[in-house]
Amino acid sequence: MFGELEMVKALLDERKRVVVLTGAGVSAESGVPTFRGQDGLWKSFHTQDLARPDAFESRPELVWEFYNWRRQLVAECEPNPAHHALVELERQIPNFLLITQNVDGLHAKAGSKKLMEMHGSLWQVRCTKCTHAREAREPLPDMPECPVCGHLLRPGVVWFGEPLVAGVLKVAIDQIGRSDVFISIGTSNQVQPAASFYQLAKDHGAVTVEINLEPTPNTGLMDFAVHGKAGEILPELTT
Ligand code: BV8
């Protein structure tokens, strides 16, 4: 691991154009359950059984119970050294973009500014009928209603089967298409289109790096792979 880490650090020291993609593994050391690990269950439901429009359509009260549980849990979580190291990398590298699949808000809480929350945020709600949308940090009722039209609100996240927030994919493709280094951190690389971002980077000659607790389907396709805890590895890249 040491050699690979030194190589990655040398790449970053060259102040190149760096794009980082993060997933749930970056928040694991903050106590936020990952999606596909043992802790990815809630009341015997798998997250991706509930993070879907049809689940919300048929059982909105259950889906809201799930999201309110996650909001309460994440509200108690603090950024960990992985989040702080990414803030430091943003400070050190002029051309830097952090694209996260996470909806927990911990990158923003740590101070990341050049940040794109590609799957939305637990701290956003929007109306299922009108265009009302707002930040919602306060605890929400079981079935929150839109203050404008009275219809049911939904969590401001992108569910499976839904398109990404308009413009996010365009910016991601553009920035990754111009990056020199693409680093995937703490993701099992099973969700599209994020899991294919590395290919965009590879296609135009960027160096690709995976930092994850364990190998993923993309590991063998990356130029470098460092396996271990993000909270321990990432601070090594900032010194
Ligand atoms: C789209 C928000 C197109 C919600 C999330 C059939 C029909 C329709 C679409 C599809 C289909 N088949 C496939 C698709 C595409 C689908 C998809 O990819 N499905 C997969 C599951 C097969 N994708 C979509 O639907 C996307 N949209 O394709 O739109 C379109 C266009 C027009 C019209 C309609 C559609 C939208 C996907 C977004 C889903 N929403 N989140 C919510 O969170 O409630 S995704 C969800 O998964 C989270 O955001 C999460 O971040 C993300 C990815 O998971 P990971 O982050 O990788 O987490 P995981 O637990 O899997 O892995 C954690 C890793 O960390 C592990 O490897 C572990 O080893 C590691 N780790 C653990 N601890 C540590 C660590 N690493 C380092 N340090 C540690 N300490």
Side-chain angles (χ1 to χ4, degrees), residues 1 4 11 20 38 56 78 82 128 141-142 159 167 176 181 232:
M1 177 176 97
E4 306 264 345
L11 277 170
V20 173
Q38 292 77 4
F56 188 69
E78 290 300 325
T128 52
D142 294 351
W159 279 328
I176 295 167
V181 184
E232 293 167 8

Side-chain angles (χ1 to χ4, degrees), residues 87 90 97-98 107-108 110-116:
V87 175
E90 174 183 315
L97 174 65
L98 171 55
H107 283 304
S112 287
K113 299 278 183 289
K114 295 180 179 175
L115 168 67
M116 204 155 66

Side-chain angles (χ1 to χ4, degrees), residues 66-79:
F66 169 56
Y67 277 89
N68 276 332
W69 170 78
R70 281 173 77 191
R71 285 163 52 95
Q72 278 169 349
L73 182 148
V74 172
E76 305 297 315
C77 296
E78 290 300 325

Side-chain angles (χ1 to χ4, degrees), residues 54-66 142-143 152-153:
D54 51 351
F56 188 69
E57 188 71 32
S58 55
R59 300 183 67 180
E61 72 294 335
L62 177 71
V63 173
W64 260 119
E65 187 187 350
F66 169 56
D142 294 351
M143 295 276 272
L152 187 59
L153 294 178

Side-chain angles (χ1 to χ4, degrees), residues 24 29 35-36 67 70 101 158 161-162 187-188 192 214 230:
E29 291 157 83
F35 274 73
R36 293 166 188 85
Y67 277 89
R70 281 173 77 191
Q101 299 173 87
V158 180
E162 292 187 322
T187 178
S188 65
Q192 298 298 348
E214 60 204 354

Side-chain angles (χ1 to χ4, degrees), residues 4-10 12-13 85-86 88-89 92-93 183 185 209 211 226 232-239:
E4 306 264 345
L5 203 54
E6 284 309 302
M7 292 297 286
V8 176
K9 193 164 169 3
L12 296 180
D13 287 351
L86 286 165
E88 180 55 19
L89 283 178
Q92 292 175 359
I93 302 169
I183 309 179
I185 308 173
V209 181
I211 298 174
V226 183
E232 293 167 8
I233 294 171
L234 296 190
E236 295 288 313
L237 295 178
T238 61
T239 45

Side-chain angles (χ1 to χ4, degrees), residues 23-25 28-29 34-37 48 51 67 70 101-103 119 157-164 186-193 212-214 228-230:
E29 291 157 83
T34 61
F35 274 73
R36 293 166 188 85
Q48 55 198 61
Y67 277 89
R70 281 173 77 191
Q101 299 173 87
N102 300 340
V103 296
H119 292 157
V157 299
V158 180
W159 279 328
F160 289 99
E162 292 187 322
L164 297 190
T187 178
S188 65
N189 285 307
Q190 294 180 43
V191 174
Q192 298 298 348
N212 202 57
L213 192 64
E214 60 204 354
K229 289 187 172 184

